[in-house]
Amino acid sequence: MNTRVLLSTAILCCMLCFRSYAHSFTKTTSLNFNYLLQDSTVKQPATPAVQDSTKQKVITGIVVDEKSLPIPGVGIKTASNKTAVTDANGKFSIATTGPTELISFSYLGYNVQSRAAGSGNAPLSIRMVPSEGVELENVVVVGYGTLKSKEVTSAVAHLDSAQFRQSGARSPLDLIQGKVAGLQITRGSGSNPNSGPSIQLRGVVSVKGSASPLYVIDGIPGGNPDLLQQDDIASIDVLKDGSGAAIYGTSANAGVILITTKKGKPGPPQFNYSSYIRTESVYNRPDFLNADEYRQKIASGELVREDFGSSTDFFDDLINKNNFSQNHNLSLSGGTDKSSYRGSINYRDLEGIALENGRKEYSLRLNINQRGLNDKVNFQMNLATNFNNANLLGGGGWESEATKNPTLSNFNPDGSYRFDTQSTNEYARLFQETNYRKQQTSSADAKVDIDLAKGFTGTIFGSVQRNSYIDGSYRMLASEDSQENSDYPNGGYASKGTALFQDFAVEPTLQYTTTIAEKHNITALAGYSYRYHIEEGQAASNRGFLNDQFNEDNLNDGLALSEGKADMSSFKNDNTLIAFFGRLNYSFNNKYLAQFILRREASSRFGENHKWGNFPAVSLGWNISSEDFMKDVTFINYLKLRGGYGVTGNSGFSNNASRLTLGRGGKYIYPDGTYRETYGPDRNPNPDLRWESKRELNIGLDFTMFNSRLTGALDVFKRTTKDLLDTYTTPQPPYIRAEIYTNVGQISSKGIELALSYQALKGKEFTWSMDVTASTLSNKLDSYSNSQFTREFIEFGDIGGAGALGSAIVTYEGGALGEFWGKRFAGFDAEGKWLFYNRNGEAVSNAQINPSRNRNTTDLVPIGNGIPKYYASWTNSFSYKNFDLRIFLRGKFGYDILNTSAIAYGNKTWTGNLLKSAFTKYSAINDTYMYSDYYLESGSHLKIDEVTLGYSFKLKTQFVRNLRAYVSGQNLATISGYSGNDPDFIQDTGLGPGIDGRGPYPTTRSFVFGVNVGF
């Protein structure tokens, strides 16, 4: 299908005075606003103008594109200022004053066509001609407003629905994975439908504070992505640097992701239905011995184990082989130039590759736009709600099941489940326990724009978000947990909890726009922000139930409650954030651009001495291609240099962290013989606690070249986060407690990002375009001490498992983040015992190695790094006639992964099942578990992440506007030398990256079959 840009933002801002969004949509599903609306008496689309004299005559016709396909939403205007717009089938009718009156036809991306009205005896047929070499400007969301791409002076990435991935998104962020240079999106839990991705923009920005970007959904700060379905999202904008993100102050340290949902648009009523089904299969499961191989090792004497006579694939027993996920979305939209609407309903049933692991969701969304008071007031409202029923029982136990003796069974000879005290029967647990969450998430927001005077627009925005859930679980009397419980053997267990999270926001703004002497364009914005968050909840559990009749719905029946051994808890806390902010945008002759931002913000989380903070930013731009000396440089269509510096903050830490709080001290008997609970200080107060602050410098270059076939952006940045938050040891006295939460330390990162789009071939029937992103990053812990508090290093990445091997990653002051510190492997002695190099380069036994963290004496050294040095992606899009094909590849390069499965199960010391490599690659080991560079492997890999083939049907019917069917494969192949799990699902974000867990959620390959229909 051909892609179209729906509307010209400049015209929309002048006529509608509200935030507009320019997106690429499929032509046959597109609707345009009335183009070039200037007359207050404009009628609804596709209806003739009112005839006010017998001289007027109604002209009808159809507008088609270069392929003779009808174009909906074409703006039509007569010389006498009558206007109309083509309907969904490209047809129109309009009143004219006579046969010689000129009628203009306008559509973004096409040349304006003019035609005399004629006699009107025969319908007009208008063929639009594409505008060759004309750059179609995107409109990007920048926070509290929009800018044309040529006006942007900060680092902003914009993606619309045409660029989204098509593999059945579990989260809105899945749509743009690998599509934004510098934005890392990693699914550490694989395809688990009840997990979310971890997000990191331009490296680590905090140690203990929030590391997640701020989500702004339709203007709602801190919006909940769980409310979004992929078919309701129009565009996603990422504010990557501080000069753009500073408008959000202490919420923006890790960047800002602005998500815009689809809105109602003027035009005839439309229905759109989209659906997909997905099935998954295990890809790259752990390579352990099967039962026959295990017996062979016992028979050959390589293993001294017991053969219990069964043959069981415990890992495979947990797999949901008949998994089937589906998604259905129905939307309706339409309206006039005064009033428009869009509503959608979504049903989604996601089944994981694991048994008893899934979620069912029901979502509703409504958008209403209304203009009034002679077009001086515009009202916009969004309502959304999501009901989620999640089955949380399955999805775990992979390590336990993969490493059991495969000659055991899940069942006893009599058919009952087999239990032992050394492990858990994970298969039986799926049928004898329940664990669920019933959740409702809702949001409502409204915005009113008022034209106060020439150039002045007042806006007030308000939003409410409500997230509530009920958690429940039950373990039957016959379950392993109940039978093995020492306090209440053979008694059931039940728990139930509720939570409620509410967010309120009010943000009034005033904007002034003016042009002076035709060359000086000024837009000034001033505003106030108020945000309030409150959360509360409770939980209770009980044991010793005598029957399974009521599950968790009758908690008081358990015996533990009557004996004072039941558990109960509750919580409630809140916080408030207020801010004043302003932004000034200036351009001279559309060549020289400047943006200034200042936000002054206060949070109840900060200490008494540091309630307020200032967050300034400045960015400059130079449209070099507009200069006279560039006129003869014909291969460059557009070239802009920009640079910015901004300060953002991080208030993402716990409530009351700065205050003296009380905690329980235990029950003691008083002189009157009564036991009473005592309370005492459990936290040191810190009136000087403040936000972390990040200072960021960004220099970028935007360009379009070779007759607009190549477009791109190059960014170079350096950022420094000061006043890092963490807990430090304090002396007693003068402090009450031994630790204090305070600001110490500095972290920094620098990198380069590149994004390219190239139209390789553009023929009448065949097109080929490609998109490339690439980035490189370096992250350091500059300092972690000051004159009062001292800490030389921090440890991350607990190896876990057998051997109590401690932490794999140590970050010293001045050192690189993600650095593995450990022993250097020097081989094995004649008995298969470990040898390592000491600091003098001598091969010695492990007993002679100094494992101290003191860098002056230790034999440990940096042996690798778990943070990828390079990220890259490559999208190829092809179209031939009605077919379209997209191939998406992405990769991570230049980093190491610690194979903890090999440490634990490549060593024959383990008494259960073993990796096959224990008898090949690791066969020389005859010693205990050790951590060293012996188990570090290159994580570099390239993944064929998505291949989508679609077909657009041309139906000769007035009832179906468009019909497209597609099939998509995801995670089809991975090229890598890593011997463990899929390297792409191993955490590469945060401070403890590059550690491959021993029992991760299985990697899957999936296939999606989908259809999109427009009526």
Side-chain angles (χ1 to χ4, degrees):
M1 295 183 189
N2 293 334
T3 302
R4 304 195 186 284
V5 180
L6 285 183
L7 44 95
S8 168
T9 305
I11 296 172
L12 184 60
C13 289
C14 294
M15 305 312 303
L16 301 182
C17 294
F18 75 105
R19 292 185 312 176
S20 61
Y21 307 88
H23 309 301
S24 298
F25 283 89
T26 304
K27 174 181 60 186
T28 54
T29 61
S30 297
L31 285 175
N32 249 6
F33 282 87
N34 290 350
Y35 200 68
L36 298 174
L37 290 177
Q38 295 180 358
D39 187 28
S40 62
T41 62
V42 171
K43 305 303 176 184
Q44 294 186 9
T47 59
V50 175
Q51 302 184 38
D52 53 7
S53 76
T54 58
K55 294 182 180 181
Q56 290 189 329
K57 188 173 184 63
V58 175
I59 304 298
T60 62
I62 187 171
V63 181
V64 298
D65 64 7
E66 69 276 15
K67 295 183 179 180
S68 299
L69 297 174
I71 309 177
V74 175
I76 307 169
K77 183 180 179 183
T78 68
S80 57
N81 284 331
K82 297 297 187 294
T83 61
V85 63
T86 57
D87 64 14
N89 299 308
K91 296 180 179 180
F92 70 91
S93 60
I94 193 167
T96 63
T97 58
T100 60
E101 184 175 19
L102 288 179
I103 307 176
S104 298
F105 300 85
S106 305
Y107 192 83
L108 198 61
Y110 288 81
N111 295 325
V112 176
Q113 302 290 318
S114 296
R115 182 75 60 85
S119 63
N121 295 329
L124 292 179
S125 180
I126 308 299
R127 182 182 295 273
M128 302 297 286
V129 178
S131 304
E132 294 294 337
V134 176
E135 181 186 2
L136 303 181
E137 282 204 79
N138 284 327
V139 171
V140 298
V141 183
V142 293
Y144 304 103
T146 60
L147 289 174
K148 297 178 185 177
S149 59
K150 283 188 176 181
E151 299 172 338
V152 174
T153 54
S154 56
V156 183
H158 172 84
L159 292 97
D160 58 37
S161 57
Q163 299 164 289
F164 293 162
R165 297 178 59 183
Q166 300 181 37
S167 51
R170 294 170 177 82
S171 161
L173 279 303
D174 291 340
L175 295 171
I176 61 171
Q177 185 179 26
K179 300 285 187 176
V180 178
L183 180 66
Q184 282 79 57
I185 300 174
T186 306
R187 274 198 168 272
S189 298
S191 60
N192 188 333
N194 293 312
S195 69
S198 60
I199 314 296
Q200 184 172 281
L201 180 62
R202 292 186 165 182
V204 179
V205 295
S206 181
V207 174
K208 292 294 179 66
S210 173
S212 175
L214 170 70
Y215 297 100
V216 180
I217 302 174
D218 288 332
I220 301 177
N224 190 337
D226 287 342
L227 278 167
L228 297 171
Q229 307 298 329
Q230 65 179 45
D231 296 297
D232 290 329
I233 300 174
S235 68
I236 298 177
D237 296 87
V238 182
L239 307 184
K240 298 200 290 185
D241 74 333
S243 66
I247 195 71
Y248 288 105
T250 62
S251 305
N253 234 30
V256 182
I257 297 177
L258 303 112
I259 302 175
T260 304
T261 61
K262 295 176 181 178
K263 303 295 190 297
K265 302 186 185 304
Q270 290 192 356
F271 292 87
N272 289 282
Y273 170 74
S274 62
S275 174
Y276 70 77
I277 59 175
R278 180 177 61 235
T279 183
E280 299 179 78
S281 59
V282 175
Y283 172 57
N284 191 29
R285 63 169 284 180
D287 197 14
F288 282 83
L289 297 172
N290 61 34
D292 290 338
E293 293 167 336
Y294 199 78
R295 287 191 179 92
Q296 292 172 6
K297 299 299 181 185
I298 294 174
S300 67
E302 295 176 84
L303 282 179
V304 181
R305 304 287 191 274
E306 183 176 356
D307 183 349
F308 293 95
S310 295
S311 294
T312 309
D313 189 340
F314 293 100
F315 187 96
D316 188 67
D317 283 348
L318 299 184
I319 299 297
N320 179 9
K321 301 175 183 63
N322 299 314
N323 66 87
F324 178 82
S325 296
Q326 56 183 313
N327 180 83
H328 305 276
N329 189 280
L330 176 65
S331 68
L332 61 155
S333 63
T336 69
D337 61 306
K338 306 294 184 184
S339 179
S340 62
Y341 62 90
R342 184 183 187 275
S344 69
I345 182 171
N346 182 275
Y347 167 70
R348 185 163 65 160
D349 182 1
L350 304 180
E351 289 189 355
I353 195 66
L355 291 171
E356 298 300 321
N357 172 226
R359 64 192 288 136
K360 291 183 179 180
E361 293 183 89
Y362 309 84
S363 299
L364 298 169
R365 179 171 289 274
L366 176 65
N367 164 255
I368 296 175
N369 296 277
Q370 178 71 51
R371 297 193 64 81
L373 298 179
N374 200 23
D375 286 349
K376 291 185 177 297
V377 174
N378 185 73
F379 172 80
Q380 177 177 289
M381 179 179 67
N382 295 290
L383 300 173
T385 190
N386 174 278
F387 299 89
N388 166 37
N389 294 323
N391 186 350
L392 306 175
L393 182 63
W398 303 106
E399 180 184 6
S400 169
E401 300 305 273
T403 59
K404 283 181 179 177
N405 183 325
T407 66
L408 288 167
S409 173
N410 278 319
F411 301 93
N412 294 312
D414 62 0
S416 61
Y417 291 117
R418 184 190 67 83
F419 301 138
D420 64 62
T421 57
Q422 304 303 311
S423 64
T424 299
N425 188 329
E426 297 288 348
Y427 180 77
R429 195 178 65 83
L430 300 178
F431 302 96
Q432 296 182 320
E433 299 181 13
T434 60
N435 186 11
Y436 64 83
R437 170 168 290 184
K438 298 178 181 179
Q439 183 175 18
Q440 182 182 4
T441 308
S442 303
S443 74
D445 66 85
K447 183 170 71 119
V448 179
D449 298 309
I450 305 174
D451 290 345
L452 301 173
K454 183 178 179 180
F456 283 95
T457 302
T459 300
I460 183 165
F461 173 87
S463 66
V464 177
Q465 296 184 90
R466 189 178 191 273
N467 179 15
S468 63
Y469 60 79
I470 298 174
D471 287 344
S473 68
Y474 185 73
R475 302 167 193 169
M476 300 171 63
L477 275 63
S479 69
E480 185 171 10
D481 177 82
S482 296
Q483 290 194 17
E484 294 178 357
N485 181 264
S486 58
D487 292 330
Y488 301 94
N490 303 313
Y493 168 87
S495 69
K496 202 163 191 176
T498 63
L500 172 62
F501 304 85
Q502 298 180 88
D503 290 272
F504 305 88
V506 178
E507 295 184 324
T509 59
L510 178 65
Q511 180 170 293
Y512 175 68
T513 302
T514 188
T515 300
I516 302 173
E518 299 183 353
K519 291 187 177 182
H520 304 272
N521 297 308
I522 299 173
T523 300
L525 174 78
Y528 169 78
S529 177
Y530 170 85
R531 298 186 218 166
Y532 177 67
H533 171 85
I534 182 170
E535 57 188 51
E536 54 188 306
Q538 57 187 0
S541 65
N542 200 359
R543 274 194 180 274
F545 292 88
L546 301 180
N547 60 64
D548 297 322
Q549 298 301 311
F550 300 103
N551 295 342
E552 69 281 357
D553 297 324
N554 201 8
L555 281 180
N556 56 294
D557 271 6
L559 297 178
L561 179 63
S562 60
E563 298 178 11
K565 295 182 179 181
D567 291 325
M568 182 179 296
S569 63
S570 64
F571 69 91
K572 183 176 183 179
N573 57 74
D574 64 353
N575 68 81
T576 303
L577 185 148
I578 62 173
F580 300 90
F581 58 88
R583 179 173 60 213
L584 176 66
N585 289 86
Y586 169 78
S587 70
F588 173 73
N589 202 25
N590 293 321
K591 293 182 183 180
Y592 312 109
L593 314 168
Q595 177 176 272
F596 305 92
I597 293 174
L598 178 62
R599 184 176 178 109
R600 179 165 174 79
E601 190 168 81
S603 170
S604 61
R605 289 175 169 172
F606 302 149
E608 291 298 327
N609 299 336
H610 290 279
K611 287 293 185 188
W612 289 89
N614 296 321
F615 303 95
V618 59
S619 56
L620 305 173
W622 177 23
N623 283 322
I624 302 173
S625 53
S626 298
E627 298 289 355
D628 292 339
F629 61 79
M630 292 292 293
K631 290 182 178 179
D632 295 331
V633 186
T634 57
F635 70 93
I636 294 180
N637 306 103
Y638 173 64
L639 182 64
K640 178 175 68 179
L641 177 66
R642 50 183 167 75
Y645 177 83
V647 180
T648 54
N650 190 345
S651 58
F653 51 89
S654 62
N655 297 323
N656 302 310
S658 66
R659 297 173 178 171
L660 173 66
T661 55
L662 298 180
R664 295 170 59 181
K667 296 180 177 65
Y668 293 90
I669 189 169
Y670 274 56
D672 61 1
T674 302
Y675 280 91
R676 291 186 173 89
E677 180 67 64
T678 61
Y679 291 87
D682 64 354
R683 187 199 307 267
N684 282 318
N686 185 0
D688 294 320
L689 189 70
R690 57 192 179 277
W691 56 93
E692 298 177 339
S693 62
K694 184 191 70 185
R695 293 154 172 79
E696 184 168 10
L697 175 66
N698 189 98
I699 298 175
L701 192 69
D702 300 326
F703 53 88
T704 302
M705 305 171 67
F706 310 123
N707 200 24
S708 298
R709 296 180 67 180
L710 176 66
T711 62
L714 175 67
D715 283 277
V716 180
F717 69 90
K718 179 175 174 57
R719 51 168 49 171
T720 301
T721 304
K722 297 185 176 182
D723 298 324
L724 294 177
L725 293 162
D726 203 352
T727 302
Y728 285 79
T729 302
T730 55
Q732 295 176 275
Y735 291 94
I736 303 171
R737 307 292 295 184
E739 295 181 333
I740 189 170
Y741 193 61
T742 188
N743 302 89
V744 179
Q746 177 177 302
I747 203 169
S748 65
S749 63
K750 57 184 178 181
I752 303 173
E753 298 164 354
L754 176 67
L756 297 173
S757 295
Y758 181 60
Q759 184 72 46
L761 292 173
K762 188 177 182 182
K764 291 184 177 180
E765 294 187 334
F766 180 77
T767 64
W768 172 27
S769 63
M770 64 179 70
D771 299 294
V772 175
T773 67
S775 63
T776 181
L777 178 72
S778 173
N779 236 156
K780 288 179 60 179
L781 179 68
D782 299 325
S783 65
Y784 218 57
S785 304
N786 61 16
S787 58
Q788 187 175 5
F789 301 105
T790 301
R791 184 179 297 175
E792 184 183 357
F793 62 87
I794 331 171
E795 295 181 291
F796 303 100
D798 182 34
I799 299 170
L805 300 177
S807 299
I809 294 175
V810 184
T811 303
Y812 288 93
E813 286 190 306
L817 297 183
E819 205 165 54
F820 290 106
W821 275 73
K823 306 164 189 173
R824 292 176 294 162
F825 175 67
F828 298 99
D829 65 16
E831 297 178 354
K833 305 302 181 183
W834 294 99
L835 296 175
F836 302 106
Y837 291 109
N838 62 19
R839 64 187 297 112
N840 299 318
E842 302 163 334
V844 299
S845 67
N846 180 63
Q848 296 173 284
I849 290 292
N850 180 357
S852 167
R853 296 301 189 196
N854 186 330
R855 285 182 288 182
N856 297 320
T857 60
T858 185
D859 289 322
L860 307 182
V861 297
I863 55 176
N865 197 295
I867 299 177
K869 191 173 183 179
Y870 304 102
Y871 292 86
S873 71
W874 183 22
T875 305
N876 284 275
S877 301
F878 307 90
S879 68
Y880 176 70
K881 293 186 177 180
N882 293 356
F883 289 94
D884 60 86
L885 174 67
R886 179 186 296 184
I887 302 173
F888 177 51
L889 296 85
R890 61 184 178 86
K892 308 172 187 177
F893 310 94
Y895 72 112
D896 302 291
I897 295 176
L898 178 62
N899 193 334
T900 62
S901 292
I903 292 177
Y905 307 117
N907 190 323
K908 290 186 286 291
T909 300
W910 171 248
T911 57
N913 201 0
L914 293 166
L915 291 167
K916 294 179 182 179
S917 55
F919 304 92
T920 55
K921 182 179 179 179
Y922 306 113
S923 61
I925 303 174
N926 185 29
D927 203 349
T928 188
Y929 309 102
M930 287 289 172
Y931 158 55
S932 72
D933 58 358
Y934 182 71
Y935 293 108
L936 279 182
E937 302 179 40
S938 171
S940 296
H941 67 275
L942 178 65
K943 181 181 291 291
I944 302 176
D945 203 28
E946 178 191 323
V947 176
T948 299
L949 176 65
Y951 184 82
S952 300
F953 295 87
K954 292 183 178 179
L955 302 178
K956 296 181 179 180
T957 173
Q958 60 179 335
F959 299 107
V960 179
R961 289 182 293 108
N962 65 281
L963 172 61
R964 177 177 180 266
Y966 65 93
V967 58
S968 180
Q970 185 179 10
N971 196 27
L972 297 178
T974 302
I975 303 171
S976 174
Y978 180 62
S979 65
N981 300 299
D982 190 329
D984 185 53
F985 293 94
I986 297 170
Q987 203 68 42
D988 62 327
T989 61
L991 292 150
I995 298 179
D996 187 357
R998 294 173 301 282
Y1001 197 88
T1003 303
T1004 63
R1005 177 185 287 130
S1006 65
F1007 292 94
V1008 176
F1009 304 88
V1011 63
N1012 300 316
V1013 187
F1015 303 96

